[in-house]
Amino acid sequence: MSIQLYAFDTPNGRKISVALEEMGLPYAVHVVDITKGEQHDPAFVKISPGHRIPAIVDPEGPAGGPISVFESGAILIYLGEKTGQFWPRDPVARVQVLEWLMFQMGGFGPMPGQVHHFAALADETDRRYGLQRYMAETRRLYAVMNERLGAHEFFAGGLSIADFAIVGWAWRHERHRVDLAEYPHVQRWYRTMMARPGVARGFAVPLRRPG
Ligand SMILES: N[C@@H](CCC(=O)N[C@@H](CS)C(=O)NCC(=O)O)C(=O)O
């Protein structure tokens, strides 16, 4: 049996479909519709105790039997370990991947995610302060990424799981109200990423039920 991916059509879900496609790993998708509360189904919570997508079950884990993994950063590292791809062996190179992966997990995800939340509020008073704060922080993170990508082709030198993590969120730049033209190095990197057949397949795989 192949890897079972539990996900929905969101940045954190897309990180993993992109990584699986780029790594050439066979997988089956189980849509967990978070708009319908399916992240709280007891069977899903057994593999994802935080009630969040994504999660995977690998029937051929490191000990020979099945293993489940939740938290997208942990899943990316797990897949990198499993395949030896996009996850360098060299300890110095690996530190750079970890740095940019954690940058995404701790900042470039939580912050634009708050922009998505506040932008959807109907009440102008509730919306104003949240948008001001989280858009400023999101833009600061884009400036950091722009500086990095001005000197490096990819975040950690060579293409890595850190790029898959970050592209999942950059994919939603319009929703968090960022014009990539203001960050030309990010725009160059984003276009390079989206032109990759594996990345395109990762964004195209259906993560919603039809209808
Ligand atoms: N730190 C987690 C965050 C996962 C996360 O926030 N997932 C969202 C979708 S992108 C979710 O499942 N939301 C369901 C909810 O808010 O109830 C990860 O990176 O895996």
Side-chain angles (χ1 to χ4, degrees):
M1 200 166 64
S2 59
I3 289 178
Q4 308 295 299
L5 168 63
Y6 296 81
F8 195 56
D9 185 22
T10 67
N12 290 318
R14 289 292 171 192
K15 290 178 201 174
I16 309 304
S17 55
V18 164
L20 287 163
E21 290 288 347
E22 281 282 344
M23 292 172 180
L25 284 169
Y27 64 101
V29 171
H30 301 261
V31 172
V32 178
D33 190 336
I34 63 173
T35 69
K36 297 193 169 123
E38 292 175 7
Q39 68 274 35
H40 306 300
D41 284 357
F44 177 66
V45 173
K46 269 195 187 152
I47 60 168
S48 187
H51 298 233
R52 296 283 184 275
I53 64 94
I56 62 164
V57 175
D58 181 358
E60 291 164 14
I67 188 169
S68 61
V69 191
F70 70 98
E71 278 291 329
S72 59
I75 297 169
L76 289 171
I77 293 171
Y78 176 83
L79 295 175
E81 281 283 325
K82 181 180 174 78
T83 63
Q85 295 183 70
F86 309 110
W87 177 233
R89 284 190 177 279
D90 172 64
V92 176
R94 187 169 282 198
V95 165
Q96 290 188 35
V97 177
L98 280 173
E99 287 173 330
W100 288 99
L101 180 61
M102 297 306 149
F103 168 91
Q104 185 283 304
M105 291 297 292
F108 188 62
M111 296 301 123
Q114 292 298 326
V115 176
H116 300 178
H117 170 81
F118 282 99
L121 295 185
D123 184 273
E124 164 62 17
T125 315
D126 288 348
R127 199 172 57 224
R128 196 180 317 123
Y129 178 72
L131 268 185
Q132 189 187 320
R133 171 164 171 72
Y134 292 111
M135 280 177 64
E137 181 58 10
T138 296
R139 294 176 63 82
R140 186 188 73 77
L141 295 168
Y142 271 92
V144 170
M145 294 191 287
N146 199 52
E147 195 170 336
R148 174 70 178 177
L149 292 170
H152 299 266
E153 187 179 4
F154 297 103
F155 279 94
L159 181 67
S160 74
I161 54 172
D163 297 285
F164 303 152
I166 294 172
V167 80
W169 281 91
W171 171 61
R172 283 294 190 236
H173 60 274
E174 284 176 4
R175 189 166 172 207
H176 45 258
R177 304 183 174 192
V178 163
D179 179 359
L180 288 189
E182 290 179 40
Y183 306 95
H185 302 301
V186 177
Q187 188 175 53
R188 184 269 306 153
W189 165 87
Y190 183 72
R191 286 180 177 156
T192 301
M193 292 299 291
M194 296 310 264
R196 292 182 63 84
V199 172
R201 285 195 305 275
F203 280 108
V205 64
L207 293 183
R208 278 176 201 267
R209 288 187 204 99

